[in-house]
């Protein structure tokens, strides 16, 4: 049975306008031996939370009343973690993480919980979880584990075609629209948020397609790379995206 | 390779349109879609680009491939936001060819010949557009590539970050840019690179034979001899060269590129096409044939590199000779020679390497893309 708890230490976000992002507790807290201690050890991947928080900070600098912010939910996706709920809550408060809600679920019902919490983007390093969530119609993105420890101060979001995770047909355009609006709050340089399009296969026309489709959804990407079949590894290691959102190879809608 | 109809039609120069998201047409409303001929699917499929490690990769920036001087002015006078707005406004207007355009066309002509002779081989030229333009300019660039029917399928628009990392990732054999700072960075990373400028006039060059001309010292060879010349004068230089005639010169930043050209030339020779080879290389040096030139030739021979024509000018001006050769690109480390060549309509590129850079009176330090 899943449950949702508010984090009373953090100001709740605007339910209509905020972009709800769910991150798994596995990405934030290390699962170590249960030494009985109350506070869990934080994982380097919490850098992602820092970057999301930084975007919010910069948005509020421009407009203290800004409703279009990231609303971060911490979700547990396995029963073992579900049992550590109180430790997760106290650890979150201990580190002062900007998490507005906790969702305690298990393997069986986490995808549904994402839905009931109106999650617009689910971030995980686990492909299976991402697929499950996508099947329930929740836009999912894979976190790049390598980049977790980078010294970046800019959240780098990559759009890319990926055969493994089914691209979400309904929600991606509206997510892109919100991201576009958020991006426009900042100037071209010195933005805490950057969007990247990578076309892995196919040539320039496929890239043009994706550029136009994203743009018509309201998002003009900052960087674009067309690989036309070249190996992706070397390019991605320079690019250093934090997570990757799958778009279908012929645009955002299937 | 998937036979995606969208790819097949890129050869046509048509306008792109913005797709309204409610349309539901995930492929965009390109005009040419209605004209798509199903029967031609097999015949007009574009060839797959080669793997970067197998190809001779030439990375070019937008300012050298195309003419963007008007846009450059907008950027310099009104800033980047206005510049991008201008670009998007003029999205359906293709850029005119820039200084590297004839070179790219010639590289494609060589590729066509190579594909005829070796249909399965990936030893080809691969042209990659590497720019630190923002992706907002992407549609206009793709439109322009389509308009001119260029074979460019790969690009990096880094949105302001340094392109150097990507050059390495693409196994770049030669990088051409209008920005001398970026060129220096590339050279420092061991990537052959040169700065190109918009010439006032440009002579016609061959459409069927790629011609590449190189200066010797500090381009193909190291700048060691130039250092002697600059420090101790011409007599000392001659003496030094004579004394060291049998010692190989050290290699310069463009040696690797000449080597890559040589490898492709040999593929034509192997098929009996030495006389008709669509690649021709030239050495245009101030050294003299009877004396200091000998060391240069011996070095080339020891490296196993052939150069088709070696022109020893013994200090005479290079301009008239280059005007006769009409190379698609001429590499020199001295701006004085680059400018002299350009005045006569030769496409010349500056290799900012070696001792000559400290003595360059006019250096191009313009910022931009």
């Amino acid at each position: 049975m899943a449950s949702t708890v508010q984090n009373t230490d953090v100001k709740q976000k605007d339910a209509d306008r905020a972009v709800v992002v769910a991150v798994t507790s596995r990405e934030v807290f290390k699962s170590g031996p249960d030494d009985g201690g109350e506070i869990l050890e934080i994982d380097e991947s919490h850098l992602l939370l820092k970057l999301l928080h930084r975007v919010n900070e910069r948005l509020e600098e421009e407009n203290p009343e800004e409703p279009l912010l990231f609303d971060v939910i911490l979700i547990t996706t396995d029963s073992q973690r579900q049992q550590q709920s109180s430790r997760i809550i106290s650890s979150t408060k201990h580190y002062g993480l900007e998490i507005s809600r906790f969702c305690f679920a298990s393997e069986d019902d986490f995808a549904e919980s994402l839905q009931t919490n109106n999650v617009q983007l689910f971030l995980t390093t686990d492909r299976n979880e991402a697929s499950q969530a996508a099947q329930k119609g929740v836009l999912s993105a894979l976190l790049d584990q390598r980049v977790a420890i980078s010294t970046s101060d800019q959240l780098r979001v990559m759009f890319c075609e990926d055969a493994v995770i089914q691209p979400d047909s309904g929600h991606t355009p509206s997510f892109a629209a919100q991201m576009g609006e958020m991006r426009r709050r900042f100037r071209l340089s010195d933005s805490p948020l950057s969007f990247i399009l990578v076309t892995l296969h196919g040539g320039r026309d496929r890239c043009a397609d994706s550029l136009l489709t994203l743009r018509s959804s309201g998002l003009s990407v900052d960087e674009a790379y067309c690989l036309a079949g070249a190996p992706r590894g070397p390019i991605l290691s320079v690019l250093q995206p934090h997570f990757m959102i799958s778009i279908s190879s012929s645009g955002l809608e299937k | 390779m998937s036979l995606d109809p969208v790819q097949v039609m890129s050869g046509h120069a048509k306008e792109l349109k913005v797709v309204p998201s409610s349309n539901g047409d995930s492929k965009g409303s390109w005009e040419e879609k209605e004209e798509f001929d199903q029967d031609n699917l097999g015949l007009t499929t574009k060839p797959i680009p080669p793997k970067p490690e197998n190809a001779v990769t030439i990375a070019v920036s937008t300012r050298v491939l195309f003419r963007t001087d008007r846009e450059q002015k907008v950027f310099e006078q009104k800033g980047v936001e206005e510049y991008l707005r201008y670009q998007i406004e003029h999205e359906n207007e293709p850029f005119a060819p820039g200084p590297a355009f004839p070179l790219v066309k010639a590289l494609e002509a060589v590729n066509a010949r190579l594909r005829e002779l070796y249909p399965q081989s990936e030893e080809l030229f691969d042209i990659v557009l590497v720019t630190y333009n923002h992706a907002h300019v992407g549609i206009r660039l793709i439109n322009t590539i389509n308009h001119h029917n260029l074979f460019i399928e790969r690009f990096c628009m880094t949105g302001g970050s340094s392109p150097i990392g990507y050059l390495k990732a693409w196994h770049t054999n030669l990088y051409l840019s209008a920005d001398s700072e970026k060129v220096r960075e590339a050279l420092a990373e061991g990537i052959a690179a040169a700065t190109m400028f918009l010439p006032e006039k440009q002579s016609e060059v061959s459409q069927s034979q790629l011609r590449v001309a190189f200066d010797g010292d500090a381009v193909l060879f190291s700048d060691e001899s130039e250092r002697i010349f600059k420090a101790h004068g011409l007599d000392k230089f001659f003496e030094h060269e004579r004394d060291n005639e049998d010692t190989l010169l050290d290699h310069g930043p463009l040696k690797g590129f000449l080597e890559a050209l040589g490898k492709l030339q040999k593929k034509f020779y192997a098929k009996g096409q030495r006389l008709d080879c669509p690649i021709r290389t030239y050495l245009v040096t101030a050294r003299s044939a009877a004396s200091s030139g000998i060391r240069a030739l011996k070095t080339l021979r020891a490296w196993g590199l052939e150069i088709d024509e070696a022109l020893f000018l013994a200090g005479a001006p290079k301009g008239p000779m280059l005007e006769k050769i009409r190379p698609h690109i001429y590499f020199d480390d001295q701006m004085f020679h680059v400018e002299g060549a350009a005045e006569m309509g030769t496409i010349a590129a500056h290799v900012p390497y070696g001792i000559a850079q400290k003595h360059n009176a006019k250096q191009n330090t313009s910022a931009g893309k």
Side-chain angles (χ1 to χ4, degrees):
Chain A
M1 246 299 280
S3 62
T4 302
V5 177
Q6 274 193 11
N7 182 356
T8 48
D9 280 10
V10 165
K11 189 179 91 169
Q12 296 300 306
K13 309 289 185 289
D14 184 317
D16 295 320
R17 297 276 282 136
V19 180
V20 184
V21 178
V23 184
T24 68
S25 61
R26 190 182 54 245
E27 311 311 339
V28 181
F29 297 116
K30 286 194 178 145
S31 61
D34 196 340
D35 57 2
E38 188 60 12
I39 305 302
L40 296 163
E41 207 185 322
I42 208 161
D43 201 296
E44 298 95 40
S45 323
H46 88 290
L47 171 71
L48 179 69
L49 289 182
K50 265 205 183 120
L51 294 175
L52 290 166
H53 180 54
R54 186 163 150 67
V55 175
N56 281 356
E57 275 184 333
R58 289 284 302 273
L59 285 167
E60 283 177 322
E61 264 173 45
E62 304 287 326
N63 172 13
E65 310 295 318
E66 177 66 71
L68 182 64
L69 298 171
F70 284 120
D71 184 6
V72 184
I73 292 184
L74 192 64
I75 184 167
T76 60
T77 52
D78 63 78
S79 352
Q80 204 183 26
R81 286 272 182 169
Q82 196 178 27
Q83 283 162 29
Q84 293 188 314
S85 55
S86 65
R87 291 174 73 196
I88 286 173
I89 294 176
S90 39
S91 305
T92 299
K93 293 185 177 186
H94 171 84
Y95 291 110
L97 303 176
E98 198 193 349
I99 287 169
S100 38
R101 278 171 284 165
F102 303 95
C103 183
F104 299 109
S106 69
E107 304 87 343
D108 304 319
D109 54 11
F110 82 88
E112 232 177 83
S113 302
L114 291 171
Q115 277 180 316
T116 48
N117 279 287
N118 295 318
V119 170
Q120 287 158 275
L121 179 66
F122 173 52
L123 298 174
T124 175
T125 48
D126 187 316
R127 272 191 190 277
N128 288 326
E129 276 180 11
S131 289
Q132 275 179 272
Q135 273 162 39
K136 286 279 187 181
V138 177
L139 182 64
S140 307
L142 272 185
L143 285 176
D144 195 322
Q145 284 171 302
R146 292 168 300 175
V147 192
I149 322 170
S150 88
T151 50
S152 173
D153 59 357
Q154 183 189 66
L155 183 64
R156 295 172 64 72
V157 181
M158 183 172 112
F159 290 93
C160 178
E161 75 256 29
D162 185 308
V164 177
I165 302 174
Q166 270 308 297
D168 168 280
S169 55
H171 301 119
T172 317
S174 71
F175 176 75
Q178 281 187 295
M179 289 295 98
E181 210 189 320
M182 216 186 246
R183 179 65 187 88
R184 279 191 295 279
R185 300 276 198 265
F186 306 106
R187 307 207 56 174
L188 281 159
S189 53
D190 190 36
S191 169
L193 187 57
S194 181
F195 293 98
I196 304 156
L197 171 68
V198 175
T199 307
L200 294 172
H201 307 289
R204 61 183 187 260
D205 301 315
R206 184 163 290 175
C207 185
D209 240 1
S210 301
L211 283 172
L212 285 173
T213 315
L214 281 168
R215 195 168 78 180
S216 68
S217 296
L219 175 61
S220 288
V221 297
D222 299 279
E223 305 175 31
Y225 301 84
C226 190
L227 269 53
R232 68 174 86 179
I235 303 284
L236 289 189
S237 62
V238 184
L239 252 179
Q240 307 216 311
H242 291 106
F243 56 87
M244 186 189 83
I245 294 176
S246 173
I247 56 176
S248 81
S249 49
S250 55
L252 291 177
E253 295 179 329
K254 270 234 161 270
Chain B
M1 174 185 147
S2 66
L3 298 177
D4 183 343
V6 177
Q7 279 181 289
V8 176
M9 287 177 287
S10 71
H12 302 278
K14 289 291 172 90
E15 291 182 24
L16 293 172
K17 285 190 186 157
V18 174
V19 181
S21 55
S22 57
N23 189 329
D25 180 353
S26 61
K27 290 182 184 169
S29 62
W30 296 34
E31 285 175 33
E32 60 261 46
K33 279 212 169 46
E34 287 91 75
E35 300 168 46
F36 177 54
D37 182 358
Q38 294 278 352
D39 294 329
N40 280 334
L41 187 69
L43 297 174
T44 54
T45 307
K46 287 189 288 185
I48 308 169
K51 282 200 210 49
E53 60 262 31
N54 297 338
V56 178
T57 305
I58 319 271
V60 294
S61 76
T62 46
R63 270 208 294 162
V64 299
L65 183 58
F66 303 124
R67 277 194 70 141
T68 58
D69 36 329
R70 214 179 329 152
E71 288 73 16
Q72 192 57 25
K73 264 204 199 74
V74 174
F75 171 73
E76 279 161 14
Q77 289 169 3
K78 301 199 184 147
V80 65
E81 320 259 342
E82 190 51 46
Y83 161 80
L84 290 180
R85 224 189 318 266
Y86 183 94
Q87 291 280 29
I88 294 171
E89 228 176 82
H90 296 263
E91 209 161 68
N92 291 321
E93 294 166 32
F95 294 113
F101 192 90
L103 172 67
V104 168
K105 277 295 199 192
L107 293 170
E108 289 182 359
V110 175
N111 271 359
R113 292 275 300 269
L114 281 169
R115 284 201 169 97
E116 270 171 40
L117 295 174
Y118 301 91
Q120 308 303 321
S121 175
E122 291 213 317
E123 289 171 333
L124 298 162
F125 288 113
D126 187 24
I127 299 139
V128 183
L129 186 67
V130 176
T131 171
Y132 54 111
N133 252 310
H134 283 82
H136 301 217
V137 191
I139 298 294
R140 191 173 185 190
L141 284 174
I142 295 172
N143 250 339
T144 304
I145 293 170
N146 285 342
H147 172 82
H148 292 291
N149 236 318
L150 296 174
F151 255 22
I152 300 175
E153 298 295 346
R154 294 176 162 157
F155 40 86
C156 292
M157 292 181 223
T158 71
S161 328
S162 170
I164 303 299
Y166 301 104
L167 292 178
K168 287 187 179 170
W170 285 112
H171 298 262
T172 303
N173 295 87
L174 175 67
Y175 173 52
L176 300 171
S177 169
D179 184 336
S180 60
E181 271 316 300
K182 290 282 163 286
V183 169
R184 269 171 229 271
E185 268 184 66
L187 287 173
E189 296 287 332
I191 302 169
T195 319
M196 294 188 87
F197 312 93
L198 195 60
E200 274 155 36
K201 66 176 195 169
Q202 203 168 287
S203 310
E204 261 191 56
V205 288
S206 169
Q207 304 268 330
S208 54
Q209 184 185 60
L210 169 69
R211 293 183 183 175
V212 184
F214 301 86
D215 174 31
D217 295 284
V219 174
L220 285 180
F221 312 115
S222 74
D223 68 341
E224 59 193 83
S225 302
E226 261 186 36
R227 285 174 183 268
I228 308 270
F229 170 65
K230 291 257 186 308
H232 305 289
L234 197 57
D235 287 339
K236 258 298 182 205
F237 165 77
F238 278 128
E239 198 186 295
H240 181 264
E241 292 305 293
R242 202 177 44 240
D243 291 344
N244 289 285
E245 207 175 86
D246 292 314
T247 312
L248 298 186
L249 285 160
D250 213 350
H251 68 89
L254 271 290
K255 179 217 174 197
F257 183 60
L258 174 63
E259 204 164 0
L261 291 176
K263 278 205 183 114
L264 292 180
Q265 280 180 308
K266 288 196 175 77
K267 298 189 76 161
F268 288 98
Y269 302 163
K271 297 272 182 169
Q273 297 204 8
R274 188 179 272 269
L275 289 180
D276 193 28
C277 186
I279 302 173
R280 196 159 178 81
T281 55
Y282 304 79
L283 171 66
V284 182
T285 173
R287 287 177 178 249
S288 25
S291 54
S292 51
I294 297 173
R295 193 179 177 200
L297 287 177
K298 285 192 175 183
T299 304
L300 285 174
R301 200 186 311 147
W303 286 346
L305 297 184
E306 288 181 28
I307 204 147
D308 295 299
E309 284 186 44
L311 300 135
F312 298 98
L313 298 173
K318 298 187 177 185
M321 185 58 63
L322 287 165
E323 218 289 320
K324 285 207 177 61
I325 295 171
R326 302 276 181 99
H328 293 88
I329 190 165
Y330 165 61
F331 297 101
D332 201 305
D333 66 307
Q334 300 195 48
M335 274 306 289
F336 169 72
H337 287 132
V338 171
E339 281 162 356
E343 267 164 38
M344 298 193 69
T346 298
I347 308 169
H350 180 227
V351 183
Y353 172 81
I355 193 71
Q357 308 323 304
K358 298 201 172 56
H359 297 261
N360 269 325
K362 314 176 213 175
Q363 283 192 44
N364 186 335
T365 51
S366 62
K369 294 160 210 276

